[in-house]
């Protein structure tokens, strides 16, 4: 009975499971494996290279070390070698040479600012064809009763009179006349030295900082910087006549500009170019209606909502000169009853209050004389021109100040670009940016070596323009605000539906291959045991 039961239960133990799928054919397994491998080969050999090629960001090589050196003031030490020509026709050649030598020693002993070098040179006698374009100042020595000095109002000439007994002998090691000339030269260029010192101290060049300035001087120079317009090769001047009523409705502005303002604009020609337009606005209501304008009223006098004061035209900054015909006046001191007629807006322009009879329908050029002369002074202030010295000397000083300012701005822009490139490794750097950086550094080097010459301003201006163009490259600015989260948001919806089946298919195929290999190993072991 036991044998019968064993034989009846054995077939039931070997009965196959009717719910399991039929075994796969080897050809089907091979086909599925080839399909999965084919998809992955397409992804790895074709998809990834195309994706890498089309999404790789081009980064041109930038001379980062050199750019940072310019920004830190290590590549250039601003030095202004100013040549001073000394004309002493009344002195003997040896006496004149000795006086120049002693004066140079006195200058070097009292010069605390190493970036400003005054170099004296004796002018040859009776040489009217001498080129004075590189001469910053000419000293005209003439005999007189006592030591006296005065600046020529029409040229960069310092007239110094001296008593005949003040001329030092050839054996003298010092001279009161030489000391007097040195002190006058320092007084003439003290404002320029202060401005350049302030520019260096407020720049990003710590190694080039000059000796400290007094708090009063720093405050004055800070106000000058706030008031002055940013340098531009061209400025657009807008002259506007605003009236409270219907008259005056015409004015001789062309003749007034030609007579009173054109001469100064011509002198400024080597530094700036100017374009001019004019306009007349009737029934113009100012923003402040008070009869006597207080300090607070001056800030709100311009009615920007109704007055057609155009912004910058053609990319050039606009300087507005407004003449308002009305009966208002400026109250400087209400107790004393004093008043004025004009005031200036920093980095914008100025306003002149012109009081005329109510029946005046036309403003003549003679009437516009005082407003035009006032606008001349305001324009010089807005351009950052020094306040002391004759006009030619002030303009030559302005050229050197602008050269230093542009050089420091271009150097700072290079440093900002270098730091931006290091902080954002994924930002694209086009080839045009690298070319602009190279051009900037070349012109900076030329400007640094010719700061005291007119060519220094030209090279500094080109360097600043190239640096700004490279920093504000359109393709770079657009990527400054493109975080990595945006890339995830773009790739995830695209690669998710495609990547999950590929990965799961590969995983399943690997698991099946491992299972089949183990089964073959097990079967081979059983055969060996039999």
């Amino acid at each position: 009975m036991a044998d019968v039961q064993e034989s009846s239960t054995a077939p039931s133990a070997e009965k196959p499971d009717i719910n399991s799928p039929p075994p796969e054919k080897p050809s089907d397994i091979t086909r599925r494996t080839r399909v999965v491998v084919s998809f992955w080969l397409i992804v790895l050999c074709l998809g990834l290279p195309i994706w890498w090629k089309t999404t790789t960001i081009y980064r041109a090589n930038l001379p980062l070390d050199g750019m940072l050196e310019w920004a830190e003031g290590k590549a250039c030490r601003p030095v202004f070698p100013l040549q001073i020509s000394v004309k002493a026709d009344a002195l003997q050649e040896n006496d004149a040479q000795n006086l120049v030598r002693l004066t140079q020693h006195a200058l070097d002993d009292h010069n605390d600012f190493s970036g400003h070098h005054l170099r004296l040179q004796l002018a040859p006698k009776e040489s009217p064809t001498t080129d004075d374009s590189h001469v910053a100042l000419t000293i005209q020595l003439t005999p007189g009763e006592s030591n006296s000095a005065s600046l020529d109002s029409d040229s960069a000439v310092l007239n110094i009179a001296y008593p005949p007994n003040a001329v030092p002998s050839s054996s003298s090691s010092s001279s009161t006349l030489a000391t007097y000339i040195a002190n006058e030269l320092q007084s003439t260029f003290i404002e320029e030295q202060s401005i350049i010192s302030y520019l260096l101290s407020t720049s990003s060049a710590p190694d080039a900082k000059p000796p400290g300035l007094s708090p009063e001087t720093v405050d004055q120079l800070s106000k000058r910087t706030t008031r002055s317009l940013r340098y531009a090769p061209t400025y657009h001047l807008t002259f506007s006549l605003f009236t409270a009523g219907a008259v005056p409705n015409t004015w001789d502005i062309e003749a007034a500009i030609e007579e009173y303002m054109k001469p100064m604009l011509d002198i400024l020609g080597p530094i700036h170019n100017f374009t001019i337009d004019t306009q007349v606005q009737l029934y113009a209501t100012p923003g402040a209606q008070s009869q006597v304008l207080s300090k607070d009223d001056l800030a709100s006098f311009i009615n920007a909502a109704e007055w057609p004061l155009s912004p910058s035209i053609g990319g050039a900054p606009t300087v507005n000169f407004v003449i308002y015909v009305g009966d208002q006046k400026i109250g400087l001191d209400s107790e004393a009853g004093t008043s004025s007629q004009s005031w200036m807006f920093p980095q914008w322009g100025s306003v002149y209050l012109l009081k005329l009879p109510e029946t005046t329908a036309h403003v003549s050029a003679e009437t516009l004389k005082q407003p035009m002369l006032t606008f001349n002074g305001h324009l010089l202030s807005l351009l950052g021109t020094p306040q002391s010295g004759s006009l030619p000397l002030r303009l030559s000083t302005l050229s050197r100040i602008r050269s230093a300012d542009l050089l420091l701005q271009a150097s700072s822009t290079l440093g900002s670009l270098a730091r931006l490139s290091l902080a954002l490794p994924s930002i694209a750097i086009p080839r045009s940016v690298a070319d602009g950086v190279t051009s900037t550094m070349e012109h900076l080097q030329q400007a640094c070596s010719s700061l005291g010459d007119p060519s220094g301003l030209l090279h500094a201006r080109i360097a600043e323009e190239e640096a700004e163009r490279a920093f504000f490259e359109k393709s770079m600015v657009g990527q400054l605000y493109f975080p990595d989260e945006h890339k995830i948001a773009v790739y995830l919806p695209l690669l998710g539906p495609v990547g999950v089946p590929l990965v799961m298919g590969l995983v399943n195929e690997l698991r099946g291959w491992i299972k089949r290999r183990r089964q073959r190993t097990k079967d081979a072991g059983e055969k060996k045991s039999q």
Side-chain angles (χ1 to χ4, degrees):
M1 292 295 293
D3 295 338
V4 174
Q5 291 179 353
E6 290 178 0
S7 61
S8 62
T9 57
S12 62
E14 297 178 357
K15 185 178 181 180
D17 188 4
I18 60 175
N19 295 325
S20 61
E24 289 185 290
K25 298 178 180 180
S27 59
D28 295 337
I29 296 175
T30 303
R31 186 184 302 110
R32 186 179 66 248
T33 302
R34 290 178 178 177
V35 170
V36 173
V37 171
S38 299
F39 273 108
W40 276 101
L41 287 176
I42 293 174
V43 171
L44 296 177
C45 299
L46 186 62
L48 282 180
I50 294 177
W51 170 81
W52 182 265
K53 183 67 177 179
T54 55
T55 59
T56 297
I57 297 175
Y58 177 77
R59 287 174 60 89
N61 293 326
L62 298 179
L64 299 178
D65 294 338
M67 296 166 66
L68 292 175
E69 287 180 357
W70 276 104
E72 296 170 359
K74 299 178 180 179
C76 173
R77 181 175 175 268
V79 177
F80 295 84
L82 304 184
Q83 182 173 339
I84 310 298
S85 178
V86 180
K87 292 185 178 181
D89 296 339
L91 296 178
Q92 296 294 329
E93 183 74 17
N94 294 335
D95 293 338
Q97 290 285 0
N98 185 47
L99 178 60
V100 169
R101 180 180 59 83
L102 294 177
T103 305
Q104 185 67 64
H105 289 168
L107 280 174
D108 295 339
D109 293 340
H110 294 86
N111 186 18
D112 297 331
F113 180 34
S114 59
H116 211 247
H117 292 168
L118 302 180
R119 291 291 173 256
L120 302 182
Q121 181 179 3
L122 184 63
K125 296 182 180 181
E126 299 178 357
S127 56
T129 59
T130 303
D131 183 16
D132 294 337
S133 60
H134 58 285
V135 176
L137 180 68
T138 299
I139 298 178
Q140 183 70 51
L141 294 176
T142 56
E145 297 180 357
S146 61
N147 290 334
S148 62
S150 62
L151 278 171
D152 193 295
S153 59
D154 299 327
S155 60
V157 176
L158 177 62
N159 297 306
I160 295 181
Y162 62 92
N165 58 0
V167 179
S169 61
S170 58
S171 60
S172 300
S173 59
S174 62
S175 169
T176 56
L177 178 58
T179 303
Y180 178 79
I181 296 174
N183 291 335
E184 289 297 326
L185 283 175
Q186 286 187 329
S187 300
T188 302
F189 291 98
I190 186 63
E191 185 177 6
E192 179 179 349
Q193 291 183 0
S194 300
I195 294 175
I196 295 176
S197 299
Y198 178 78
L199 291 176
L200 294 176
S201 63
T202 55
S203 68
S204 57
D207 295 336
K209 286 186 178 180
L213 302 172
S214 63
E216 295 79 7
T217 304
V218 171
D219 183 62
Q220 294 177 0
L221 295 176
S222 177
K223 292 180 179 178
R224 172 193 172 275
T225 303
T226 304
R227 179 179 63 246
S228 302
L229 290 161
R230 182 181 174 88
Y231 176 83
T234 302
Y235 290 103
H236 183 75
L237 307 183
T238 298
F239 294 88
S240 305
L241 177 65
F242 292 152
T243 66
V247 291
N249 50 26
T250 59
W251 59 336
D252 289 335
I253 185 61
E254 290 82 3
I257 293 175
E258 186 69 25
E259 183 174 357
Y260 304 117
M261 206 159 191
K262 191 67 162 53
M264 191 196 69
L265 298 181
D266 292 339
I267 297 177
L268 287 168
I271 307 176
H272 302 287
N273 296 321
F274 297 95
T275 58
I276 299 175
D277 72 342
T278 64
Q279 63 176 341
V280 177
Q281 179 73 19
L282 306 179
Y283 298 102
T285 303
Q289 303 292 332
S290 303
Q291 187 71 22
V292 179
L293 300 176
S294 63
K295 186 176 181 180
D296 295 334
D297 294 332
L298 298 181
S300 59
F301 184 84
I302 299 297
N303 190 350
E306 298 181 6
W307 291 4
L309 296 173
S310 58
S312 299
I313 298 177
T318 297
V319 184
N320 295 280
F321 296 114
V322 176
I323 298 178
Y324 184 78
V325 179
D327 56 355
Q328 293 175 299
K329 62 180 181 180
I330 305 172
L332 298 179
D333 188 351
S334 57
E335 296 180 358
T338 58
S339 63
S340 180
Q341 291 180 285
S342 65
W343 71 97
M344 183 170 54
F345 287 93
Q347 301 185 14
W348 186 86
S350 64
V351 178
Y352 191 95
L353 300 179
L354 183 62
K355 189 173 183 179
L356 297 174
E358 296 181 358
T359 58
T360 303
H362 178 76
V363 183
S364 63
E366 183 64 26
T367 305
L368 294 173
K369 177 180 179 180
Q370 189 57 44
M372 290 294 107
L373 295 179
T374 302
F375 290 156
N376 279 341
H378 289 172
L379 178 60
L380 291 177
S381 298
L382 291 171
L383 295 179
T385 309
Q387 302 298 319
S388 60
S390 61
L391 182 58
L393 183 61
R394 293 165 63 190
L395 295 182
S396 64
T397 300
L398 176 62
S399 176
R400 292 187 290 271
I401 292 173
R402 289 299 194 183
S403 300
D405 191 17
L406 291 174
L407 185 144
L408 295 175
Q409 289 181 17
S411 301
S412 177
T413 303
L414 284 182
S416 300
L417 181 58
R419 289 186 290 270
L420 177 66
S421 175
L422 294 174
L424 299 177
S426 61
I427 190 173
I429 301 179
R431 185 63 193 173
S432 59
V433 173
D435 295 339
V437 170
T438 302
S439 177
T440 299
M441 296 178 67
E442 291 177 355
H443 285 285
L444 279 177
Q445 190 62 46
Q446 297 180 27
C448 183
S449 60
S450 58
L451 279 177
D453 299 333
S455 60
L457 176 62
L458 175 62
H459 291 297
R461 180 172 62 189
I462 297 175
E464 196 269 343
E465 292 175 353
E466 291 291 338
E468 291 290 324
R469 187 180 297 111
F471 186 81
F472 292 103
E473 171 67 29
K474 293 185 293 184
S475 59
M476 291 179 59
V477 174
Q479 297 184 33
L480 292 179
Y481 311 100
F482 192 80
D484 294 335
E485 289 80 0
H486 288 190
K487 298 179 181 179
I488 297 176
V490 170
Y491 285 124
L492 192 59
L494 176 64
L495 299 181
V498 177
V500 170
L502 287 175
V503 173
M504 294 304 299
L506 180 61
V507 170
N508 292 333
E509 192 62 28
L510 289 175
R511 291 173 62 183
W513 177 77
I514 294 173
K515 182 178 180 181
R516 291 192 299 271
R517 185 174 181 179
R518 288 178 178 175
Q519 185 63 36
R520 287 196 298 267
T521 304
K522 182 179 179 181
D523 295 343
E526 291 178 353
K527 289 182 180 180
K528 289 182 179 180
S529 62
Q530 292 178 358

